[in-house]
Amino acid sequence: PCGTITNSGQQIVQSYNHSLGDSPGYVIIDYDMKAIPDKMEVFYNGQMVTSTFEVSRNQSGFVGDDISPSQNQVNLCFEYDPSRGPVYCTVKMTATGAGTSWEYKIHCPVQGKCP
């Protein structure tokens, strides 16, 4: 569910579904890709709504200390409206190599706008 931390260190592609509830708003995702670059893609209602491709100086969507040192501990955001689709989003994480480690937290939807 939203509000929980997800982390891993696997050298594979992994997908996670996160329940977002019944209230519309903006969903903020805090993440830390640590030293070895990883890529995050977030899908809602069958569409990619945000990803680390949006981070400056990324390398094919991969960010971390080696590629974008000032950008490895940041957040992503997207608008969520449960009346337009399912009440969850899917996060797809792609690792670049052995020893990778990352974590992220999807916050429950809030009113306002993306930071």
Side-chain angles (χ1 to χ4, degrees):
C2 58
T4 61
I5 295 175
T6 303
N7 56 38
S8 182
Q10 308 271 333
Q11 185 184 350
I12 57 174
V13 175
Q14 297 174 299
S15 293
Y16 304 89
N17 290 333
H18 296 275
S19 175
L20 299 173
D22 296 327
S23 299
Y26 289 90
V27 176
I28 298 170
I29 305 168
D30 297 324
Y31 67 86
D32 184 351
M33 298 305 187
K34 314 283 185 189
I36 300 173
D38 298 291
K39 176 172 60 176
M40 174 188 283
E41 298 167 286
V42 182
F43 298 87
Y44 174 64
N45 200 20
Q47 302 290 319
M48 185 165 51
V49 291
T50 190
S51 74
T52 50
F53 283 99
E54 299 171 16
V55 176
S56 65
R57 299 187 333 252
N58 77 74
Q59 187 175 52
S60 299
F62 289 90
V63 296
D65 290 347
D66 295 356
I67 293 176
S68 189
S70 65
Q71 298 290 331
N72 68 318
Q73 294 183 7
V74 293
N75 58 53
L76 298 172
C77 183
F78 69 95
E79 186 176 5
Y80 168 72
D81 183 350
S83 70
R84 288 192 263 156
V87 293
Y88 67 89
C89 70
T90 300
V91 175
K92 177 182 172 184
M93 295 296 301
T94 304
T96 57
T100 187
S101 177
W102 49 260
E103 72 178 33
Y104 67 85
K105 179 178 183 180
I106 294 190
H107 296 269
C108 296
V110 295
Q111 297 302 306
K113 61 181 182 175
C114 288

